[in-house]
Amino acid sequence: MTHFASLCSSFVYVQFAQGAVLDSILSAFRSICGEDGVLLGEAVREQHGKDESLHRCCPPDVVVFPHCVEEVSALAKVCHNHQLPIIPFGTGTGLEGGVSTKSECAACLCDSSCLEPGVTRKALNAYLRDTGLWFPVDPGADASLCGMAATSASGTNAVRYGTMRENVINLELVLADGTIIHTAGKGRRPRKTSAGYNLTNLFVGSEGTLGIITKTTLRLYGLPEAMVSAVCSFPSVQDAVDSTVQTLQAGVPIARIEFLDDVMIEACNRFSSLSYPVTPTLFLEFHGSEQSLKEQVSTTADITQSNGGADFQWAQHAETRNRLWKARHDAWYAALALRPGCKAYATDVCVPLSRLPQIIVETKEDLIENRLTGPIAGHVGDGNFHCLVVVDPNDPEELHRVHLFTDRLARRALAMDGTCTGEHGVGLGKRALLCEEMGSMAIQVMQGLKDTLDPNNLMNPGKILLPKAL
Ligand SMILES: Cc1cc2nc3c(=O)[nH]c(=O)nc-3n(C[C@H](O)[C@H](O)[C@H](O)COP(=O)(O)OP(=O)(O)OC[C@H]3O[C@@H](n4cnc5c(N)ncnc54)[C@H](O)[C@@H]3O)c2cc1C
């Protein structure tokens, strides 16, 4: 295990000022990060006012690109002095409207800024290529590491290597008033700690509402000696999920185990020119020594066969494996290609593994009853799955049906002791569901933390927590 610190992220300032006040703010921004670091053009503002979700683009007024933590701190102080809200921006691949300025309190102008281009997970792994190390958290999209920390991202490797919560060791942050802090103490990177409150995990998943992450210290892993991937088709959802549960119960340290339903596999076949049987399917990957791979594979093959799984289709060579996982990561685009011109909304519930077959079966019935296109792909080893609901954004009636469906799905997950979001975060769309999930006392504690760290509600206002009743 080793560590890597990344300096990353862009961020967006939202502000209410006009005229002379606005001019003086812009000139303060320019004095901090130069003329080139303060952008007002429509295209760059639009780019920073939206993510990959269905939430409408609400562009900030100004996009600012700082180069170091000191500049971020100085910019935050300007915003603090003028009571200007701030929206951090990573790479805009979020799926819950986290970078939009749209919120109840956003009758505002906006501006944004970016430290050196945010280090993304792919850039980090390219940098590490010759060191024998890698960073396994893999949300599919090439997101920034600070954005991934901010959303507590995970993805296909989480079943073995954990999510951002388990893999962030320390964070450098700028608070709303410009104070710079290190959540585990400056420069510290112990393998474990019981030193006081866990500030690191308070900020992991805080979605820019508590501070701006400027550096992450991450846990890295040795590259596995060998890897092998496989695809296996099943007669039913229950058989695929039973195989998953039994494989984990057997102690197989599987690296990836991804579920695709029949609709999703058909979409992937079409989009990625594949020819897998159109039935519930598992994509699997094993990491380890040659000897341990043999054992892992043999145990898993026995389990899948006992659950009616067809013979594995193996992919041992890097090229074939990459093609397989590219097809999985392209599932979002494969779903979109089912209805050209439409947009996709990814639901993101997570339930205890024992409840997974039931919730997937009920969800598929719900999709059919409500005439919705929603292929399902899931990080099934974690009990986390997504319906990629493809919808015509210009059809209000269909949008309404999607909205009702996603709420029903989240409540179904809550009723099964799960969560309304396993990895995408709360953003704008799940604030009310978060209240149902947490209960009023826990929400009050969250609000108290927000009030303490950001008393003027300047950090990404309107996200995660609903506005306080006046
Ligand atoms: C095709 C596709 C597949 C995806 N698959 C997965 C998946 O499998 N698992 C998964 O977890 N996610 C997935 N995502 C969602 C997305 O990639 C993650 O949420 C990612 O962590 C967002 O990172 P970002 O840099 O793009 O952040 P952004 O979208 O820019 O921002 C997201 C949130 O983080 C905040 N933020 C960004 N940078 C900072 C910072 N420096 N300091 C404080 N707050 C900050 C923003 O204000 C916002 O609230 C997928 C997205 C796409 C498009």
Side-chain angles (χ1 to χ4, degrees):
M1 191 261 289
T2 183
H3 311 90
F4 180 85
S6 77
L7 183 66
C8 62
S9 269
S10 51
F11 53 89
V12 180
Y13 294 93
V14 184
Q15 49 103 343
F16 299 82
Q18 286 180 357
V21 181
L22 176 58
D23 288 345
S24 95
I25 290 165
L26 290 178
S27 119
F29 285 171
R30 288 188 181 111
S31 73
I32 294 166
C33 37
E35 287 288 327
D36 294 352
V38 182
L39 300 184
L40 298 158
E42 200 176 323
V44 78
R45 289 189 298 108
E46 294 230 332
Q47 185 201 335
H48 288 79
K50 63 175 190 309
D51 58 11
E52 295 276 354
S53 70
L54 272 178
H55 292 283
R56 226 163 29 90
C57 171
C58 293
D61 283 346
V62 183
V63 181
V64 189
F65 295 81
H67 304 94
C68 60
V69 65
E70 289 76 20
E71 288 188 9
V72 176
S73 167
L75 289 163
K77 281 180 187 156
V78 173
C79 293
H80 186 250
N81 291 340
H82 291 87
Q83 296 291 290
L84 312 178
I86 297 170
I87 301 180
F89 185 95
T91 51
T93 68
L95 295 172
E96 290 298 340
V99 297
S100 168
T101 64
K102 180 182 160 194
S103 69
E104 286 73 359
C105 57
C108 53
L109 308 170
C110 325
D111 74 318
S112 115
S113 99
C114 167
L115 291 190
E116 61 183 57
V119 177
T120 65
R121 65 175 185 89
K122 284 189 184 169
L124 171 58
N125 280 326
Y127 175 81
L128 292 171
R129 190 172 294 141
D130 298 328
T131 65
L133 297 167
W134 72 310
F135 182 63
V137 182
D138 168 17
D142 192 18
S144 73
L145 293 164
C146 290
M148 286 167 60
T151 57
S152 188
S154 44
T156 56
N157 287 310
V159 63
R160 168 143 179 190
Y161 298 97
T163 72
M164 289 303 276
R165 284 209 194 275
E166 291 80 34
N167 287 297
V168 173
I169 292 169
N170 200 348
L171 292 171
E172 178 187 79
L173 290 161
V174 173
L175 298 178
D177 64 358
T179 307
I180 300 170
I181 66 161
H182 298 85
T183 54
K186 193 168 179 185
R188 312 223 167 266
R189 50 191 181 90
R191 192 180 171 91
K192 66 181 206 179
T193 172
S194 61
Y197 300 130
N198 188 340
L199 290 186
T200 304
N201 268 346
L202 172 61
F203 285 90
V204 171
S206 62
E207 301 182 38
T209 62
L210 300 179
I212 305 148
I213 302 170
T214 52
K215 195 184 279 186
T216 61
T217 302
L218 302 172
R219 176 167 290 156
L220 302 181
Y221 295 79
L223 271 172
E225 181 186 315
M227 295 185 191
V228 62
S229 300
V231 179
C232 189
S233 318
F234 292 86
S236 71
V237 172
Q238 182 82 45
D239 292 320
V241 178
D242 283 351
S243 296
T244 306
V245 174
Q246 289 163 23
T247 302
L248 294 172
Q249 281 171 346
V252 177
I254 197 154
R256 290 168 152 173
I257 185 157
E258 295 284 304
F259 170 82
L260 292 87
D261 78 346
D262 51 338
V263 186
M264 188 77 258
I265 201 82
E266 184 166 24
C268 287
N269 277 348
R270 276 199 225 163
F271 188 79
S272 302
S273 307
L274 303 168
S275 52
Y276 294 121
V278 179
T279 62
T281 300
L282 290 179
F283 282 18
L284 310 101
E285 189 163 276
F286 307 89
H287 296 173
S289 63
E290 298 285 357
Q291 184 55 37
S292 106
L293 282 192
K294 277 190 197 142
E295 282 171 24
Q296 294 185 47
V297 163
S298 140
T299 310
T300 310
D302 287 349
I303 290 171
T304 52
Q305 271 165 26
S306 70
N307 286 296
D311 284 345
F312 280 151
Q313 293 189 39
W314 296 107
Q316 197 146 11
H317 295 295
E319 202 181 308
T320 332
R321 270 194 291 110
N322 291 343
R323 189 157 170 257
L324 174 76
W325 290 105
K326 181 162 184 331
R328 166 62 188 91
H329 284 325
D330 283 346
W332 172 264
Y333 305 100
L336 278 173
L338 291 173
R339 290 181 69 189
C342 287
K343 296 274 238 172
Y345 175 76
T347 65
D348 175 37
V349 298
C350 186
V351 294
L353 268 185
S354 57
R355 310 304 298 271
L356 200 59
Q358 185 189 350
I359 193 168
I360 293 183
V361 168
E362 287 179 13
T363 302
K364 283 180 76 65
E365 285 166 6
D366 193 342
L367 284 163
I368 292 166
E369 263 168 40
N370 289 286
R371 296 168 284 118
L372 294 171
T373 307
I376 292 177
H379 312 307
V380 73
D382 295 321
N384 182 203
F385 74 95
H386 312 295
C387 292
L388 309 179
V389 189
V390 190
V391 55
D392 178 353
N394 300 314
D395 180 345
E397 189 277 330
E398 189 183 3
L399 279 170
H400 183 62
R401 264 187 291 131
V402 169
H403 184 68
L404 295 178
F405 164 78
T406 55
D407 276 0
R408 261 195 316 275
L409 171 55
R411 295 204 169 95
R412 204 174 286 135
L414 295 185
M416 295 185 188
D417 304 332
T419 173
C420 67
T421 172
E423 57 182 19
H424 296 164
V426 176
L428 284 171
K430 290 191 175 155
R431 294 173 297 174
L433 288 164
L434 181 73
C435 297
E436 291 178 35
E437 179 168 334
M438 293 292 160
S440 61
M441 293 315 291
I443 290 288
Q444 272 180 41
V445 174
M446 288 190 187
Q447 185 66 59
L449 289 166
K450 168 80 173 162
D451 292 345
T452 303
L453 289 164
D454 179 20
N456 300 314
N457 194 23
L458 300 181
M459 288 307 314
N460 208 357
K463 312 295 161 49
I464 297 188
L465 297 170
L466 286 165
K468 287 191 247 184
L470 294 175

